[in-house]
Amino acid sequence: MPMTKSSKKLHMWVWLLALPLFQLGSGVVFAQEQPAAAQSQSMSASQAAAQVDTSTLTGTDVCLHCHKSAVEQVSKTAHADTSQLRGAAEISRAETRTNCDGCHGPSQAHADAELKAEKNDTKDPEAKKLIFRFDASPKENDARCLTCHASGPTHVNSASSFHRQNEVSCINCHSPHHAAAKEKLLVKAQPDLCYTCHLQQKSQFNMPFRHRVNEGLIQCTDCHNQHGTEGVWESGDLIRQVRTSSSGNFICFKCHADKQGPFVFEHAVVKTEGCAACHIPHGGANPHMLKYSNVGLLCLSCHTAAAFGHAPVMDPQMATQQNACPLCHTQIHGSNFNNDLLR
């Protein structure tokens, strides 16, 4: 039966009135479903935590459940290259020579205690004591690092290191997980890291005449072995931790090779006391980084028995005759021709 014009209008009004009711009903249903979905997700998360079984896991796999970000950080470092770790996504079941256990010790008991507390929504302070957290004494922390690094050529004298004597630990300068500098896993790049403690040297590198450390031309570790050297002894203490060249001479000759010799006629102080007998190695107010502004006074600090010399005091002659020592003794580092280093 064909619909009349009036019946068509009636159907249209029925649909217009019913549409808001449909929208309202669907909104109520959706609102009721949201808490249920959230509750379902929460239950599935807690169930997942409860279902974790660390007894079947080994090494780094045990740590990934809680420390995924830390594992990701380590996977980008030199330690990861050593242990052949391939990244956090692939680290589980990787055949590695070292893993988290290598530094932190066996992790099984720690993981079991933490997961047990997590299932009960509690914290177990004793769980943190079941793993080595590098919050022990400097000696104990260093012992962990030296388990692997003691055999390296730069660490062979670590027992006599000036840093170690002053309880500066490896982790004061290095951070395996959160290194700011990619090189050597340093917590801060050179020279700012060294300046954290060595404030006197920082001021010397700001003097008018200095080695160009702040400019990045050389680094502190070019001259010093921070892990210890046989070094120079003074008053019973090992000082400076200065490296030596391949020939066993002072490291200064690595750059200043023309001063090394050997010479037929040596300036004895260069061989016995080294460059620092006359120079301030880091920087000073005098040209050539000399200890004294008056060159004659510097020479007379040793040569007091010279025929023309006297006690190292200032007098009018110091500004004329005896301030001009290098004008005649031009080869002050050593000579192949003259015993008085005149040429």
Side-chain angles (χ1 to χ4, degrees):
M1 180 177 178
M3 295 179 64
T4 63
K5 188 174 182 180
S6 60
S7 63
K8 287 181 179 180
K9 286 183 178 181
L10 180 62
H11 275 279
M12 182 181 69
W13 281 108
V14 169
W15 279 109
L16 288 174
L17 291 172
L19 184 60
L21 295 175
F22 278 118
Q23 291 176 339
L24 179 62
S26 62
V28 171
V29 172
F30 179 73
Q32 290 175 343
E33 288 178 349
Q34 267 192 323
Q39 185 178 2
S40 174
Q41 290 178 357
S42 176
M43 289 177 61
S44 60
S46 61
Q47 288 172 356
Q51 291 173 358
V52 173
D53 182 11
T54 60
S55 62
T56 60
L57 303 178
T58 59
T60 303
D61 294 333
V62 180
C63 309
L64 272 172
H65 174 68
C66 299
H67 304 287
K68 186 175 181 180
S69 61
V71 173
E72 288 176 344
Q73 290 290 333
V74 174
S75 69
K76 302 172 184 176
T77 69
H79 281 156
D81 294 337
T82 304
S83 58
Q84 302 173 354
L85 303 183
R86 298 186 296 271
E90 304 173 40
I91 207 170
S92 19
R93 291 171 178 75
E95 293 183 2
T96 62
R97 290 189 289 111
T98 58
N99 46 39
C100 304
D101 292 6
C103 296
H104 296 282
S107 56
Q108 192 70 56
H110 166 73
D112 290 342
E114 290 284 14
L115 287 171
K116 181 178 179 181
E118 183 180 340
K119 293 172 185 176
N120 299 326
D121 291 329
T122 59
K123 295 288 184 181
D124 184 0
E126 295 299 317
K128 298 185 183 300
K129 299 179 182 179
L130 300 175
I131 200 80
F132 192 82
R133 292 166 47 83
F134 285 89
D135 54 1
S137 67
K139 184 177 181 180
E140 291 175 296
N141 291 338
D142 291 352
R144 285 279 172 159
C145 302
L146 290 173
T147 302
C148 296
H149 294 284
S151 59
T154 60
H155 296 77
V156 68
N157 290 298
S158 59
S160 58
S161 165
F162 191 63
H163 284 147
R164 185 169 184 175
Q165 292 174 13
N166 288 273
E167 296 190 342
V168 178
S169 175
C170 303
I171 59 174
N172 291 129
C173 299
H174 302 275
S175 175
H177 292 287
H178 306 290
K182 185 176 181 180
E183 182 186 6
K184 309 299 183 184
L185 303 179
L186 297 176
V187 297
K188 195 184 295 183
Q190 294 189 62
D192 292 333
L193 175 60
C194 304
Y195 290 163
T196 304
C197 299
H198 301 285
L199 299 178
Q200 179 183 358
Q201 285 69 31
K202 179 180 180 180
S203 65
Q204 290 175 335
F205 284 123
N206 287 317
M207 298 297 282
F209 303 94
R210 63 189 184 275
H211 278 116
R212 299 295 187 262
V213 170
N214 292 338
E215 292 79 2
L217 185 63
I218 60 174
Q219 293 184 326
C220 303
T221 52
D222 290 333
C223 299
H224 299 275
N225 183 350
Q226 67 279 16
H227 301 117
T229 65
E230 293 180 358
V232 179
W233 289 88
E234 184 177 282
S235 302
D237 294 321
L238 189 66
I239 62 169
R240 290 189 269 184
Q241 299 193 162
V242 179
R243 295 181 186 271
T244 55
S245 64
S246 56
S247 60
N249 289 309
F250 292 96
I251 193 61
C252 308
F253 298 140
K254 180 180 178 181
C255 296
H256 304 283
D258 59 315
K259 308 297 191 296
Q260 180 175 2
F263 298 107
V264 175
F265 304 101
E266 299 280 3
H267 193 173
V269 69
V270 177
K271 294 299 181 184
T272 56
E273 296 184 41
C275 307
C278 300
H279 301 275
I280 302 173
H282 301 111
N286 305 315
H288 307 295
M289 297 187 286
L290 292 174
K291 287 185 174 181
Y292 298 94
S293 59
N294 189 303
V295 179
L297 188 61
L298 176 61
C299 297
L300 286 173
S301 64
C302 293
H303 298 283
T304 55
F308 55 84
H310 48 74
V313 295
M314 294 294 291
D315 64 33
Q317 289 188 350
M318 292 293 291
T320 56
Q321 177 185 353
Q322 289 153 4
N323 192 38
C325 304
L327 294 180
C328 296
H329 303 279
T330 56
Q331 303 303 311
I332 54 176
H333 298 99
S335 171
N336 288 323
F337 304 102
N338 187 273
N339 186 41
D340 295 322
L341 311 182
L342 295 176
R343 59 189 177 88

